[in-house]
């Protein structure tokens, strides 16, 4: 049985280390990226079966990576995605303040 290839993309080292640790412990083949540009390089080099993706990244953001994964015809199969979004209180207040 082959292990699932997973790409973990998160700019927060602690979050990335914890997720990667659990996935490797469970026998998955895990690659990791701390920014969007590295994630795109890894996606092109060896498309994973699953992408765990933070939306707020330096460089290329998570939404652009999501679009790339979804539109990629080169992918051997459609990757599954797990998306992590961090919403802070200041972001929520800013969004509410700018609403009509």
């Amino acid at each position: 049985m082959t292990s699932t290839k997973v790409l973990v993309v998160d700019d927060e080292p602690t979050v990335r280390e914890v997720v990667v640790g659990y996935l490797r412990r469970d026998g998955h083949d895990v690659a990791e990226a701390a920014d969007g540009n590295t994630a795109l390089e890894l996606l092109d080099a060896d498309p994973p079966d699953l992408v765990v993706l933070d939306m707020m990244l330096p460089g290329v953001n998570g939404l652009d990576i999501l679009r790339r994964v979804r539109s990629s015809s080169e992918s051997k199969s459609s990757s599954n995605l797990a998306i992590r979004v961090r919403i802070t209180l200041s972001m929520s207040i800013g969004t509410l303040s700018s609403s009509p």
Side-chain angles (χ1 to χ4, degrees), residues 27-90:
H28 301 289
D29 178 15
V30 183
E32 55 186 290
D35 60 70
N37 293 320
T38 303
L40 290 176
E41 290 173 11
L42 292 171
L43 284 166
D44 287 340
D46 190 16
D49 301 308
L50 173 69
V51 179
V52 179
L53 178 63
D54 183 10
M55 296 306 287
M56 296 171 32
L57 296 167
V60 179
N61 68 41
L63 187 56
D64 290 336
I65 294 170
L66 175 61
R67 288 182 183 127
R68 174 84 169 267
V69 169
R70 293 279 183 195
S71 69
S72 174
S73 60
E74 300 295 324
S75 174
K76 65 179 178 189
S77 66
S78 58
S79 295
N80 293 305
L81 296 163
I83 300 173
R84 185 179 88 82
V85 179
R86 180 185 65 219
I87 300 175
T88 63
L89 181 57
S90 61

Side-chain angles (χ1 to χ4, degrees), residues 1-5 20-30:
M1 182 172 149
T2 61
S3 62
T4 303
K5 289 191 298 185
V20 167
Y22 277 111
L23 290 168
R24 284 189 177 145
R25 184 194 70 186
D26 288 343
H28 301 289
D29 178 15
V30 183

